DNA sequence: CTGAAAGCGCTTACAG
DNA sequence: CTGAAAGCGCTTACAG
């Protein structure tokens, strides 16, 4: 490891002191213009790059946002990160990223690690299995901003950005019904996760409103990816033909696509025999055939707003008491998988 | 911002000194077992979390890897990041991520920022437009590991991980020819980018080997995304029917899919009239219909290996002279878009 | 077995 | 307009 240039090196080269160099570089009015010029030129020519760790240790500010997501490698989350990064880089902040891999233990470890690394706060999409929130205590206790994005704690008043999953689910369910579906299957996720709870509630309320039966054999609460979507579809196929669904409400696009492949392999025509709606509007939803109708969650926008919220919280007198909640509009994007009648 | 617990606080609570607390926490054999126990218990109960910035300022080691990619929000890059993160988190390292958005200027700014933040080194997928590498000087100069991943500097001996783009391109081109294609279009990327240069070379060499003409009207060197793929396809459609291609070699999956949509809208049957091969084996390649044949670039594995290389470089006596290059195997995944004859 | 002191690279009250 | 000194939170030679 070679030695790096420090302000002391610059000071020595100019026969002045570190104090003066520091001030000159910061553009302090206390330093004369000629000195400023000389310092800057010297810093430039020596290839000086300030040591952010020393600065942050001294000032307590670090220009670092910790971001924790279940997985980097999913369109939804990487778009959120994209949104966060867009605002952050604008403000001169860097982001440090950790994957919880939907494991609370890893999430907890990441919170600690990031706190150690003295991030200026955290933006978090909760792991699928997270139902207790004690591991965020160090952040709250130290008064750092903590913003949740999309997957947020249930029954807890904390700053967050999300979409109105309940309303979104309602619009999706109503759409299926208007397409003529009567026996609608529900492939959802664990109800302890806020968003899945809301989606199911929206679905159930609409079914009730239209006086349609919710058929237990067609309801699955652990079908949140491609494989599990396939598995649930296979279970449905084990029913008698007369009990087959004519509609599918899936809580994730991957679920919907998994189910689509199985149903089509088994002779279902989509949307004629079975209308399918997904959730999330992942890029692939528009590439499969037929395209999957889906709820657009404005993932980039969610990240973007969460990042803005972060900086707002930071400015507030006590960030740990900052509890602004933003709900972004969502919209149903209708595609071939549920379009029996042109709109 | 509330006050954080420091080793001094623990020391005071136990009527001892910071030195002892530091040693006890580090498990130094110089401290007695009873004192260690007391220190650990107190640290635990006070909710002590070490300040990594202070540690790294003192020790010069920081447990931070800087990662620069063109875009987070693409399956290929996010898989690479996933691979990097997997190794890093195993070793107790965090990663800090920046998006160059394929802009050299932003890439340069990110290198500086990250160096400022005193990362322990960098793993980089170059921006599309990067053809000079001076902005990596601060990293080299300070002797930090710098590993390139997939998109690497041309004509420069630096540590890197990539696949053999040349061979991969050859296998893809040969496959098209074996499917009976004779007039093969080429939709590529800027040749100053290593990988695109190699892919084109592979394509040209195979065409030459089989004595097939490379038709200038069917060659495009700036078609590296969905829209540009569509645009290039439209230009091809402006040719006379007799000049239409019967095969398409695309240097990106998005290119291939963009072209696919345009060609099909214009009555081309794929693969009967036109065989298409993409590159990258993005997730969507398998979801479109017909599926796009593509070169699997083992993106996760590339990131994984780059991360391992990083730690190897770090251990070497002079990381800036560490120039191990790893070439991973790639393979052609054949799907409907190019399968005229079953294999 | 434990402590006092220096120092990593900065910034900033304090002093002149 | 500029400098000397303290201190952010640690670790680690040096000393006992």
């Amino acid at each position: 490891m070679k030695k790096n240039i420090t302000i002391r090196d610059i000071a020595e080269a100019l026969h002045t002191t570190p104090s003066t160099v520091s001030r000159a570089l910061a553009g302090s009015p206390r330093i004369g213009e000629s000195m400023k010029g000389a310092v800057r030129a010297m810093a430039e020519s020596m290839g000086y790059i300030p040591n952010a760790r020393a600065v942050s240790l001294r000032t307590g500010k670090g220009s670092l946002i910790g971001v924790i997501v279940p997985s980097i490698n999913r369109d939804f989350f990487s778009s959120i990160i994209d949104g966060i990064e867009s605002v952050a880089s604008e403000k001169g902040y860097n982001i440090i990223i950790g994957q919880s891999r939907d494991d609370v233990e890893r999430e907890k470890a990441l919170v600690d690690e990031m706190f150690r690394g003295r991030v200026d706060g955290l933006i978090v999409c909760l792991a699928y299995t997270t139902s207790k929130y004690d591991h965020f205590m160090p952040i709250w206790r130290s008064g750092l901003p903590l913003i949740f994005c999309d997957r947020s704690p249930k029954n807890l008043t904390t700053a967050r950005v999300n979409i109105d999953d309940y309303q979104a689910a309602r619009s999706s369910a109503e759409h299926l019904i208007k397409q003529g579906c009567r026996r609608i299957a529900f492939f959802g996720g664990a109800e302890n996760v806020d968003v899945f709870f809301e989606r199911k509630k929206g679905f159930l309320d609409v079914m009730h409103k239209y006086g349609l039966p919710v058929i237990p054999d067609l309801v699955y609460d652990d079908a949140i990816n491609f494989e599990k979507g396939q598995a649930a579809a296979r279970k449905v196929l084990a029913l008698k033909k007369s009990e087959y669904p004519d509609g599918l409400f899936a809580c994730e696009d991957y679920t919907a696509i998994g189910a689509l492949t199985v149903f089509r392999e088994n002779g279902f025509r989509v949307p004629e025999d079975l209308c399918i709606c997904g959730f999330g509007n992942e890029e692939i939803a528009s590439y499969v055939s037929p395209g999957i109708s889906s709820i657009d969650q404005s993932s980039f926008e969610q990240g973007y707003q969460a990042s803005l919220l972060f900086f707002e919280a930071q400015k507030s007198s006590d960030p740990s008491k900052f509890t602004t909640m933003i709900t972004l509009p969502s919209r149903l994007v209708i595609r071939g998988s549920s379009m029996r009648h042109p709109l």
Side-chain angles (χ1 to χ4, degrees), chain A:
Chain A
M1 189 81 61
K2 289 154 198 169
K3 199 180 162 307
N4 290 314
I5 307 298
T6 70
I7 53 169
R8 152 159 264 112
D9 297 322
I10 300 175
E12 277 168 9
L14 291 169
H15 301 294
T16 178
T17 63
S19 317
T20 301
V21 172
S22 171
R23 290 193 181 102
L25 256 18
S28 160
R30 291 176 48 182
I31 305 294
E33 283 311 319
S34 66
M35 179 56 106
K36 274 185 192 167
V39 168
R40 280 179 191 143
M42 183 57 77
E44 175 73 37
S45 81
M46 293 177 79
Y48 171 70
I49 295 183
N51 183 330
R53 286 182 184 163
V55 174
S56 85
L57 180 57
R58 178 60 230 243
T59 64
K61 279 218 30 176
S63 309
L64 241 200
I65 304 178
V67 177
I68 301 177
V69 294
S71 162
I72 294 168
N73 187 24
R74 286 203 26 202
D75 187 48
F76 177 64
F77 295 117
S78 59
S79 292
I80 286 180
I81 297 173
D82 192 357
I84 295 172
E85 205 265 356
S86 297
V87 176
S89 73
E90 194 86 353
K91 307 242 183 194
Y93 274 64
N94 280 119
I95 60 174
I96 179 168
I97 295 188
Q99 306 191 68
S100 68
R101 300 186 191 279
D102 273 324
D103 171 359
V104 203
E105 289 309 315
R106 268 198 61 74
E107 184 173 278
K108 179 173 164 40
L110 282 167
V111 172
D112 280 358
E113 261 176 45
M114 292 195 171
F115 187 76
R116 245 194 197 68
R118 289 303 185 267
V119 293
D120 296 298
L122 240 41
I123 298 177
V124 179
C125 301
L126 287 174
Y128 183 60
T129 48
T130 301
S131 56
K132 292 183 157 188
Y133 314 104
D134 301 342
H135 51 300
F136 293 107
M137 275 312 297
I139 306 295
W140 278 313
R141 206 159 44 198
S142 65
L144 295 175
L146 169 60
I147 315 287
F148 290 96
C149 190
D150 194 67
R151 292 201 195 161
S152 311
K154 248 170 88 173
N155 309 322
L156 212 56
T157 309
T158 54
R160 67 182 63 184
V161 176
N162 48 26
I163 61 161
D164 188 338
D165 284 273
Y166 174 75
Q167 279 304 335
R170 286 191 64 115
S171 68
S172 195
E174 284 201 312
H175 164 68
L176 286 172
I177 292 169
K178 285 186 179 143
Q179 294 295 310
C181 303
R182 291 297 170 266
R183 298 177 56 83
I184 306 179
F186 178 88
F187 289 6
E191 291 187 36
N192 68 303
V193 181
D194 204 15
V195 299
F196 293 123
F197 178 82
E198 296 294 330
R199 290 174 199 177
K200 185 164 190 180
K201 189 152 169 287
F203 170 75
L204 294 178
D205 285 359
V206 166
M207 291 297 272
H208 183 252
K209 175 180 163 194
Y210 285 86
L212 292 175
V214 175
I215 302 150
D217 281 345
L218 298 180
V219 172
Y220 292 88
D221 279 328
D222 179 34
I224 45 139
N225 58 33
F226 187 84
E227 287 75 20
K228 288 182 175 175
Q230 290 187 312
R234 288 202 192 93
K235 282 191 188 152
V236 166
L237 285 167
L239 299 173
K240 280 181 287 186
K241 278 224 164 73
S242 61
E243 292 173 339
Y244 281 176
D246 57 3
L248 169 60
F249 181 111
C251 281
E252 291 275 3
D253 284 341
Y254 289 93
T255 306
I257 294 169
L260 173 72
T261 59
V262 169
F263 282 119
R264 292 188 89 191
E265 276 166 20
N266 286 275
F268 279 71
R269 290 169 306 161
V270 176
E272 293 82 351
D273 300 329
L274 180 73
C275 286
I276 299 181
C277 278
F279 210 108
N281 200 24
E282 304 257 347
E283 196 175 26
I284 51 168
S286 63
Y287 287 120
V288 293
S289 175
I292 300 283
S293 299
S294 191
I295 297 289
D296 190 285
Q297 297 184 93
S298 357
S299 42
F300 178 91
E301 188 65 19
Q302 284 198 62
Y304 195 90
Q305 294 292 337
S307 211
L308 290 178
L309 220 49
F310 175 91
F311 290 104
E312 242 185 81
Q314 200 174 307
K315 269 188 292 183
S316 76
S317 55
D318 184 354
S320 62
K321 293 217 173 60
F322 182 88
T323 55
T324 304
M325 303 196 186
I326 295 180
T327 299
L328 295 174
S330 62
R331 66 181 214 288
L332 175 62
V333 179
I334 298 173
R335 300 197 177 90
S337 71
S338 71
M339 214 182 327
R340 282 181 181 165
H341 325 297
L343 297 173

